[in-house]
Amino acid sequence: MNAKEHEKEAGIIARAGEIGAITVATNMAGRGVDIKLGGELSEETLTQLGRVLHRAGIDPYDMTFDEIAQALDRIPTDMFALDAEHVERFRKYMRDCVRVRELGGLRVIGTERHEARRIDNQLRGRSGRQGDAGASRFYVSIEDDIMRRMGGKGLMDRVWVEDIPIQHGWVSNAIEQAQVKMEGYNFDIRKHLLEYDDVLNKQREVVYGSAIGS
């Protein structure tokens, strides 16, 4: 995904919490989409469930999914024979929600560290939302831009042991310090561009003002 077809990608991201799902995305894909453990129920299924409950004299308004599941268990099966497919789909969804939590929830794996800590934190925040189970892990290479800029080769020479993954506080702290420097550097670039644009804008006002006056 490349964050170009927003609606289509949002639907894919929303299903990232399904059991067994593996979703590959860029940092920007699926912005604003809440990833629910167990996946996403279709609007059609939710609408049909509401009709089933209404026919049984139950108002589904403001009911949680757990309460809906308990209400469906109390309704005789012959009352929703025509909607049995949607009811079973909902029950499978509830079972999957429990299973996903038992397996540890959503796992976010980052293949590099971004120049801005904000982006990394957004990715981390995808897992463990609102008390849900979840975890995140980021992997870096000494060939990554952020590692080269912080002198990663020298750092690796001090802490690297052959065939053993490096999980040292020095590495995490050094990367964070490099991110802080890059954030400051990028801020200065934007600040100078704005200052240059102000100069050009003043020149435009003088030039165009003179042209209009003449």
Side-chain angles (χ1 to χ4, degrees):
M1 291 183 286
N2 52 23
K4 291 184 179 179
E5 300 182 22
H6 300 292
E7 185 174 351
K8 182 178 178 181
E9 293 183 8
I12 296 173
I13 292 293
R15 299 180 59 186
E18 291 181 356
I19 187 167
I22 299 176
T23 307
V24 181
T26 64
N27 289 333
M28 302 301 290
R31 287 176 293 177
V33 180
D34 186 22
I35 301 176
K36 300 174 183 176
L37 300 187
E40 191 80 6
L41 276 172
S42 68
E43 288 296 328
E44 181 185 5
T45 295
L46 292 173
T47 300
Q48 292 303 117
L49 287 175
R51 291 174 180 171
V52 169
L53 293 172
H54 272 300
R55 286 199 299 267
I58 301 173
D59 185 2
Y61 184 73
D62 276 348
M63 289 180 68
T64 65
F65 280 178
D66 288 333
E67 291 171 343
I68 291 176
Q70 294 171 9
L72 289 173
D73 290 338
R74 296 193 299 268
I75 300 174
T77 55
D78 57 345
M79 290 189 63
F80 55 79
L82 296 178
D83 300 303
E85 179 183 351
H86 293 287
V87 172
E88 180 54 33
R89 193 176 299 165
F90 174 76
R91 286 173 171 167
K92 180 181 182 301
Y93 168 81
M94 295 299 290
R95 292 194 297 269
D96 287 348
C97 287
V98 174
R99 182 63 177 147
V100 169
R101 287 183 174 86
E102 290 175 347
L103 292 172
L106 183 68
R107 177 81 166 184
V108 173
I109 300 177
T111 56
E112 62 179 343
R113 295 291 292 272
H114 198 272
E115 288 182 356
R117 291 168 296 172
R118 174 180 58 84
I119 302 297
D120 287 347
N121 290 335
Q122 285 177 346
L123 289 174
R124 288 191 186 99
R126 288 293 197 171
S127 63
R129 293 174 64 83
Q130 300 179 4
D132 280 338
S136 62
R137 175 65 63 91
F138 284 75
Y139 294 87
V140 295
S141 165
I142 58 173
E143 297 177 354
D144 291 346
D145 288 342
I146 192 73
M147 294 291 283
R148 288 204 304 267
R149 288 169 178 168
M150 61 174 257
K153 183 65 170 63
L155 180 66
M156 294 303 103
D157 290 341
R158 293 198 297 272
V159 301
W160 182 70
V161 179
E162 187 175 0
D163 296 331
I164 298 178
I166 300 171
Q167 302 182 54
H168 202 288
W170 291 351
V171 179
S172 297
N173 292 336
I175 291 175
E176 186 169 346
Q177 291 172 9
Q179 288 175 314
V180 171
K181 291 179 181 178
M182 288 307 303
E183 288 169 356
Y185 175 72
N186 291 331
F187 174 80
D188 288 339
I189 290 177
R190 293 191 296 270
K191 179 181 177 182
H192 289 315
L193 284 175
L194 182 60
E195 291 173 349
Y196 295 150
D197 187 67
D198 287 340
V199 172
L200 290 174
N201 189 52
K202 290 178 182 179
Q203 293 175 347
R204 292 189 198 100
E205 292 175 354
V206 171
V207 172
Y208 294 140
S210 300
I212 294 174
S214 62

